[in-house]
Amino acid sequence: MLSKLRKISLSNWILIGMVLGIIFGLFLNFFVHNPFIKDTILIDNIFYLGGNGFIRLMKMLVVPLVFCSIVVGAASISDIRKIGTIGGRTILIYLITTAIAVTIALVIGSIIQPGAGLNMSMAGQPMNATLNQTMTDTILNMIPENPLNSLANGYMLQVIIFGLLIGIILAKLKEEVQIINDAFTQGNHIMMELTSLVMKVAPIGVFCLMARTFAGLGFEGILPIAKYVICVLIGLAIQAFIIYPSLLIVFTRLNPIRFFKRFASVMLFAFSSSTSNATIPLNLEKLSEMGVASEVSSFTIPLGATINMDGTAIMQGCAVMFAAQAYGMDLGLTALITVIFTAVMASIGTAGVPSVGLITLTMVFNSIGLPVEAIGMIFGIDHLIDMFRTAVNITGDAICTIIVAFKNESVDTEVYNGKKEPHTLGIEF
Ligand code: ASP
């Protein structure tokens, strides 16, 4: 029995925690009427402690995790300046596709309104001044006056800017600052380990958060979560099957159906593993079979797995709309632009491994003062969404790679169109 329980994966435990939490919360809502047991002992103490303790652990990860990974990411990005136009084009197209992705998510979120009707309370939540700021103030506020202050207070845009600058300098000074460079790389590693550790208590945290929410809301809480999932899936479908094929046609005139026929197996692998990083070799192999020169893909694909997360950005955009509606916050233009900017940056700061998109979501929420507690509501179904969004993440990497390679005359169109035998890397799957 015990060994069977041990075999259940963490993501399944989180799902179990969510389902049990919903059931238990509904049970409390309908059948327990003793306010001392229901409210005082369970909702306000046990579930509050378990749920918010977990949220605090997540918040604890954000600043060091994002800072280290942005520094490390930027340090490797500026290295590619050597590669010249390919590097510049790749980064540009990666950033643009991610910005398109968040925008799509925000539009869908405002149409479907996944969080409407939830009426979560903002009481005790700090409102962030960003919401009432003008665009000029927002831009000015991205520059840290005192980086330590930004880190200590979790001003994420300032942390990102400072991290980017440090990363670029590290890349420029290279061996002179090798120790610091290594320290950041190791710091990044440590934070990833710590993230895995925190994730181990996620099932309990999620159970408490869900039980607390559903004890108060009853069945009303289920529809918004279902709507949120639908929002994300529609966003992912638009990005994968409308935006990417259109980009491919506009920039290369290559047939997107051919692409998807060949690439489906890579998407399936990303779907089942939820990690862009592990999909790198398969992505390289398929692109090579499509006639893309490996000189280009061998650098753009690993880079994309690290900095280009369109699927994750879509989830984050939908989550922002969900939480803003649930807490009755009106997001003005400045807040929306801040979300687009932060989600694009979060995409750089998200490692290509399972669930990290949820951690960097905290940073997007922080940037406009949304209560991080709302993430608890969507935590339980995140594994499912992670699978879909990872498939889109790696598809984005491949499409952008083909476009960049095409512009660099590094795509053999005869191979792409099946008129010539491909050169493969020899990975069978
Ligand atoms: N699992 C995603 C990936 O590897 C990252 C995330 O969104 O959590 O691409």
Side-chain angles (χ1 to χ4, degrees):
M1 174 73 183
L2 211 65
S3 68
K4 269 200 186 138
L5 286 182
R6 274 209 198 105
K7 277 200 197 118
I8 299 176
S9 67
L10 180 62
S11 49
N12 284 339
W13 273 120
I14 296 178
L15 195 66
I16 293 170
M18 170 183 169
V19 173
L20 290 183
I22 293 177
I23 294 173
F24 195 68
L26 290 175
F27 174 79
L28 286 181
N29 186 292
F30 290 110
F31 300 110
V32 180
H33 302 297
N34 179 332
F36 180 68
I37 297 182
K38 182 176 154 187
D39 298 320
T40 315
I41 298 192
L42 290 173
I43 298 185
D44 294 338
N45 278 291
I46 298 184
F47 295 157
Y48 181 73
L49 187 69
N52 284 48
F54 172 61
I55 297 283
R56 280 184 84 107
L57 283 173
M58 289 234 319
K59 285 185 177 169
M60 169 187 89
L61 298 172
V62 181
V63 171
L65 181 82
V66 169
F67 186 58
C68 288
S69 85
I70 293 248
V71 172
V72 173
S76 62
I77 291 171
S78 33
D79 245 2
I80 57 178
R81 247 185 299 169
K82 279 186 284 175
I83 310 176
T85 37
I86 299 182
R89 276 187 185 149
T90 309
I91 294 172
L92 191 70
I93 193 162
Y94 279 161
L95 297 184
I96 292 174
T97 48
T98 311
I100 295 175
V102 203
T103 312
I104 290 175
L106 293 176
V107 172
I108 295 174
S110 61
I111 297 172
I112 298 187
Q113 305 250 330
L118 260 177
N119 298 327
M120 311 282 274
S121 152
M122 271 298 263
Q125 306 287 352
M127 277 286 283
N128 193 313
T130 321
L131 288 177
N132 307 318
Q133 277 171 2
T134 63
M135 202 57 216
T136 332
D137 284 336
T138 310
I139 296 171
L140 201 60
N141 273 336
M142 284 161 58
I143 306 169
E145 275 179 320
N146 174 352
L148 294 183
N149 196 25
S150 319
L151 287 164
N153 289 303
Y155 297 147
M156 293 317 296
L157 290 181
Q158 299 183 359
V159 169
I160 291 165
I161 298 291
F162 188 59
L164 282 174
L165 292 174
I166 297 283
I168 293 168
I169 302 293
L170 285 183
K172 184 166 173 251
L173 297 179
K174 295 208 173 61
E175 289 83 30
E176 270 179 70
V177 289
Q178 196 57 44
I179 296 177
I180 306 274
N181 212 333
D182 291 346
F184 274 111
T185 310
Q186 289 173 5
N188 202 18
H189 207 95
I190 292 172
M191 289 316 299
M192 295 309 295
E193 279 296 315
L194 192 56
T195 307
S196 318
L197 199 69
V198 169
M199 282 299 162
K200 292 215 160 64
V201 295
I204 301 172
V206 167
F207 172 84
C208 293
L209 288 165
M210 292 319 257
R212 193 158 181 259
T213 307
F214 279 83
L217 288 178
F219 279 116
E220 264 169 60
I222 293 185
L223 187 64
I225 298 181
K227 278 210 244 163
Y228 162 77
V229 174
I230 291 171
C231 262
V232 180
L233 294 184
I234 293 178
L236 292 176
I238 293 178
Q239 183 79 6
F241 302 119
I242 297 180
I243 302 294
Y244 292 153
S246 310
L247 291 175
L248 197 64
I249 293 172
V250 169
F251 288 106
T252 69
R253 308 239 168 265
L254 293 171
N255 181 346
I257 297 174
R258 272 187 181 278
F259 169 83
F260 281 110
K261 269 194 188 152
R262 294 214 183 125
F263 200 70
S265 54
V266 188
M267 291 173 82
L268 213 64
F269 181 85
F271 178 81
S272 43
S273 67
S274 307
T275 139
S276 304
N277 283 2
T279 318
I280 293 174
L282 306 188
N283 209 339
L284 290 173
E285 167 69 29
K286 274 295 159 207
L287 286 173
S288 182
E289 283 177 34
M290 288 186 228
V292 177
S294 58
E295 290 93 78
V296 177
S297 61
S298 63
F299 126 81
T300 56
I301 290 296
L303 180 70
T306 320
I307 71 162
N308 186 41
M309 309 270 173
D310 300 347
T312 305
I314 286 172
M315 174 278 280
Q316 296 186 335
C318 292
V320 162
M321 293 314 273
F322 172 82
Q325 289 153 4
Y327 283 88
M329 279 169 66
D330 261 338
L331 299 183
L333 190 63
T334 316
L336 291 175
I337 293 174
T338 310
V339 169
I340 297 176
F341 183 79
T342 333
V344 172
M345 290 301 140
S347 155
I348 300 178
T350 306
V353 291
S355 305
V356 179
L358 261 194
I359 308 281
T360 48
L361 177 62
T362 317
M363 140 184 166
V364 182
F365 272 36
N366 279 344
S367 73
I368 53 162
L370 274 175
V372 175
E373 283 64 23
I375 298 179
M377 292 280 294
I378 52 176
F379 217 102
I381 26 93
D382 193 66
H383 179 59
L384 178 75
I385 287 179
D386 197 7
M387 296 166 81
F388 284 101
R389 71 173 178 251
T390 308
V392 173
N393 285 346
I394 55 105
T395 308
D397 301 341
I399 292 282
C400 294
T401 295
I402 296 179
I403 294 173
V404 171
F406 189 86
K407 294 281 166 215
N408 197 49
E409 293 174 0
S410 303
V411 181
D412 189 332
T413 44
E414 295 208 335
V415 173
Y416 186 93
N417 292 322
K419 296 200 182 106
K420 204 166 104 188
E421 273 302 297
H423 163 78
T424 72
L425 302 174
I427 304 168
E428 278 175 31
F429 66 104

